[in-house]
Amino acid sequence: MENQETRGLRKVLTGEVVSDKMNKTRVVKVERLVRHGLYSKTLKRAAKYHAHDEGNETKIGDKVEIMSCRPLSKTTKWRISKIVEKAKA
């Protein structure tokens, strides 16, 4: 895959694969911590992204890094750039 220098600046997120039922597409859940404006409590927020996986290499539970790209379908606008950690067993 291309490195980030040749493709320009792209958004990069890290998350966990939660679905691998589609062919060449994975659903990646990305969690982030947000501070409440009034009460200053730290809240956990999550978003799911459809990411392209050309070789069907990732499975449920894998930690992956996704990178923004051109729209590949109606919902797929991200691609898996690298596998950070494989799922346990």
Side-chain angles (χ1 to χ4, degrees):
M1 303 222 171
E2 305 97 2
N3 58 7
Q4 216 168 352
E5 289 80 34
T6 59
R7 298 290 294 152
L9 293 177
R10 307 248 175 175
K11 291 184 181 178
V12 177
L13 301 172
T14 304
E16 180 182 348
V17 176
V18 292
S19 174
D20 62 355
K21 301 214 180 296
M22 294 173 277
N23 187 29
K24 296 186 179 181
T25 303
R26 301 291 180 256
V27 179
V28 179
K29 181 172 145 186
V30 177
E31 290 185 337
R32 62 191 175 95
L33 295 176
V34 179
R35 197 135 188 121
H36 191 281
L38 179 61
Y39 299 113
S40 299
K41 178 178 177 159
T42 304
L43 306 170
K44 198 181 282 189
R45 296 285 180 239
K48 291 182 185 174
Y49 298 95
H50 287 222
H52 183 70
D53 182 14
E54 183 62 39
N56 288 325
E57 300 163 355
T58 57
K59 300 295 176 210
I60 293 177
D62 290 353
K63 298 265 188 255
V64 295
E65 190 174 90
I66 59 174
M67 181 182 292
S68 63
C69 65
R70 67 183 176 82
L72 300 171
S73 71
K74 180 181 175 181
T75 57
T76 306
K77 291 152 182 63
W78 297 81
R79 64 182 166 89
I80 295 178
S81 57
K82 71 177 175 181
I83 301 170
V84 177
E85 180 183 331
K86 288 296 239 181
K88 309 275 191 285

